[in-house]
Amino acid sequence: MHDYDLVIIGGGLVGASLAVALAETGLRIAVVEATAANAPAHPSYDERVIALSLGSARIFQGMGLWPEIEPDAAPIQHVHVSDRGHFGFAHLDAEDEGVPALGYVASARAMGAALNARLEASPRISLLRPARLQGLQISKARVSLEVAVAGQSQLLTAALLVAADGGESSVRKRLKLQVRDRAYGYDAIIATVTPERIPVITRPGTAFERFTDTGPLALLPMTEGRYGVVWTAQQAETAGILGLSDEAFIEALQARFGARLGELTRPSRRIAYPLRLMLANQLTRERVLLIGNAAHTLHPVAGQGFNLGLRDVAELADLLVDAQRTAKDVGGPAVLGPYCRRRAPEHALIAGLTDGLARLFVNPFGPVRAARNLGLLGLDLLPPARHHLARRFMGAMGRQPRLARGLPAESALPPVSSE
Ligand SMILES: Cc1cc2nc3c(=O)[nH]c(=O)nc-3n(C[C@H](O)[C@H](O)[C@H](O)COP(=O)(O)OP(=O)(O)OC[C@H]3O[C@@H](n4cnc5c(N)ncnc54)[C@H](O)[C@@H]3O)c2cc1C
């Protein structure tokens, strides 16, 4: 039997980030991850390109991991939002916001490699993999877990169990925590392409979000002159798009996106992800809490899922460090209560915003289309509205935990608020 302060189920992008963030705090931590270390494919560290907000880059700085991630991260200097075939468009600019970049684009695989290397090197973190949760019991003082590690059963106990096991969270299901869940009937098809020569009218470091009649299409600047494509397609269309030859795929993409990046070449392998909205109604049970996709799974239209999960990590790290310093129970009400109060409103807000965007921009009804074009134009012409939106998506609003200010979780400085 092994006893820990914290057991994290799921060592994907969010679970691994929490463990790394807490590695120097003295808390005894175990990470239980289903995928083997040498598995050729990982469900979290895959081909996805992730738009990281400036706030997320700061959190990685606080974790001391940004120097490992930055070489693979391309800065976003400008965002261009448009509605295909219509007049509305909007721009966001890093310079207008007084920041070096609005965010960064990095591959999930590169972030996973950096997180994994840190997990393996940390003497205070027990990394159990390939491992799966087999049984779970909650008593007043402890959570008891039965875990199969490489086929062998192990018993673990902990003050707190953190479920970071993704959208299909087995912890959440075992505890029968209820969710609001809706499938969109769309897939996100991802790939990378390389523009042959970017026209001079297009500024370097521009991320494009283009709303089309069948869903949003994003092209995100990456390192080595590549662009990450996130093409939202109705599920009935997916097989056809995946099955296109490279030439036909580029032709179809170019027809949807237009000429802003000139001729697109060298498409990579295409992968499809089904899209859904899932929001847990309840983030905690006695000695258990949900973070990342286990608590919220979003449409990727505004690139917010992992950013929201990293803010869960930053808030939770603050609460755990404060509880530890004041000799409070890290699995008790001093952590669980404030975690719910601080995170649930932001989960609901960001889920509502992304869901609204995803649905508004596929609505072909004339008045809705006209209104959204006016909305985009209004956003472009009204600096305060634009500024507010940019700050919200940069993760620069609200309470700023230590990690979100670029400080280590164990820093002695208190958290601050910035509205
Ligand atoms: C196409 C696409 C584009 C996206 N783009 C962006 C973007 O630009 N910006 C952004 O912020 N977000 C983006 N996201 C969202 C982002 O990918 C997710 O929010 C993020 O991966 C969630 O990480 P997670 O660790 O919570 O969950 P997951 O990535 O699902 O990881 C869960 C982990 O738990 C493990 N696990 C599962 N069950 C068990 C078990 N029973 N026992 C042990 N381990 C288990 C899994 O092996 C996995 O490692 C995008 C998503 C998609 C689909």
Side-chain angles (χ1 to χ4, degrees):
M1 169 112 66
H2 299 274
D3 186 54
Y4 297 95
D5 295 307
L6 193 71
V7 171
I8 303 168
I9 304 289
L13 286 172
V14 173
S17 295
L18 179 65
V20 169
L22 296 170
E24 301 301 321
T25 57
L27 288 166
R28 297 164 304 144
I29 301 167
V31 177
V32 175
E33 166 56 37
T35 312
N38 54 1
H42 191 288
S44 196
Y45 310 151
D46 62 6
E47 308 306 324
R48 252 171 280 191
V49 277
I50 302 276
L52 288 175
S53 68
L54 195 61
S56 293
R58 279 212 197 98
I59 292 174
F60 277 130
Q61 266 160 12
M63 287 158 57
L65 213 61
W66 188 239
E68 275 99 309
I69 292 173
E70 195 177 11
D72 183 65
I76 302 175
Q77 307 290 358
H78 318 280
V79 175
H80 182 278
V81 187
S82 59
D83 195 357
R84 181 174 173 239
H86 302 276
F87 61 86
F89 65 92
H91 290 106
L92 301 176
D93 277 292
E95 210 178 291
D96 289 355
E97 302 305 323
V99 291
L102 291 166
Y104 296 85
V105 182
S107 74
R109 186 178 292 290
M111 286 188 280
L115 284 163
N116 222 26
R118 195 61 72 85
L119 281 184
E120 283 173 0
S122 174
R124 292 167 217 247
I125 299 172
S126 306
L127 183 51
L128 309 177
R129 66 180 176 193
R132 278 200 172 268
L133 184 64
Q134 305 282 75
L136 164 62
Q137 271 194 336
I138 305 169
S139 67
K140 218 163 171 47
R142 239 63 203 149
V143 182
S144 305
L145 307 156
E146 189 192 336
V147 175
V149 187
Q152 300 277 334
S153 181
Q154 283 192 20
L155 291 179
L156 317 179
T157 53
L160 179 67
L161 173 66
V162 176
D165 49 351
E168 296 300 326
S169 170
S170 65
V171 174
R172 193 187 68 223
K173 288 178 180 170
R174 267 172 198 274
L175 295 176
K176 299 198 169 37
L177 295 174
Q178 299 301 307
V179 300
R180 282 161 278 167
D181 200 358
R182 179 156 39 82
Y184 283 109
Y186 284 82
D187 289 323
I189 298 169
I190 61 149
T192 59
V193 293
T194 306
E196 188 62 34
R197 194 177 317 110
I198 298 181
V200 280
I201 49 153
T202 297
R203 292 175 294 177
T206 301
F208 295 91
E209 182 81 70
R210 195 153 170 70
F211 292 97
T212 76
D213 46 4
T214 58
L217 170 67
L219 269 87
L220 306 171
M222 297 177 69
T223 53
E224 298 163 11
R226 294 163 303 156
Y227 266 74
V229 177
V230 187
W231 176 337
T232 312
Q234 276 159 356
Q235 274 169 345
E237 291 179 315
T238 302
I241 297 170
L242 293 178
L244 290 173
S245 67
D246 284 358
E247 296 72 32
F249 173 69
I250 287 286
E251 201 179 311
L253 177 63
Q254 199 96 55
R256 264 185 144 59
F257 178 68
R260 281 204 171 82
L261 285 171
E263 192 189 333
L264 303 172
T265 64
R266 281 177 270 163
S268 69
R269 191 162 71 96
R270 281 151 255 154
I271 303 169
Y273 298 83
L275 299 182
R276 66 194 264 232
L277 170 69
M278 187 284 296
L279 209 51
N281 292 340
Q282 210 183 326
L283 291 179
T284 60
R285 267 293 267 287
E286 203 176 9
R287 302 210 165 272
V288 179
L289 60 77
L290 310 178
I291 62 170
N293 268 31
H296 43 74
T297 302
L298 308 181
H299 192 297
V301 59
Q304 287 298 304
F306 179 50
N307 292 310
L308 198 58
L310 266 187
R311 289 203 293 281
D312 295 345
V313 165
E315 281 289 1
L316 181 56
D318 259 11
L319 291 167
L320 289 169
V321 167
D322 290 346
Q324 183 195 25
R325 277 195 189 133
T326 50
K328 292 202 175 106
D329 178 357
V330 294
V335 170
L336 299 179
Y339 177 78
C340 282
R341 285 196 295 280
R342 290 179 193 173
R343 299 311 299 146
E346 196 188 357
H347 293 172
L349 178 75
I350 300 294
L353 276 175
T354 53
D355 184 48
L357 271 179
R359 294 201 291 158
L360 179 68
F361 280 91
V362 290
N363 194 326
F365 183 52
V368 174
R369 186 170 259 177
R372 77 189 181 211
N373 275 278
L374 285 173
L376 279 180
L377 205 57
L379 192 64
D380 204 56
L381 297 174
L382 284 175
R386 214 170 54 215
H387 183 64
H388 185 85
L389 188 74
R391 284 178 61 74
R392 168 68 57 199
F393 283 117
M394 284 191 299
M397 291 179 83
R399 204 175 161 285
Q400 297 293 313
R402 297 178 188 93
L403 284 168
R405 292 158 63 205
L407 300 168
E410 64 277 11
S411 158
L413 291 169
V416 296
S417 202
S418 84
E419 289 303 330

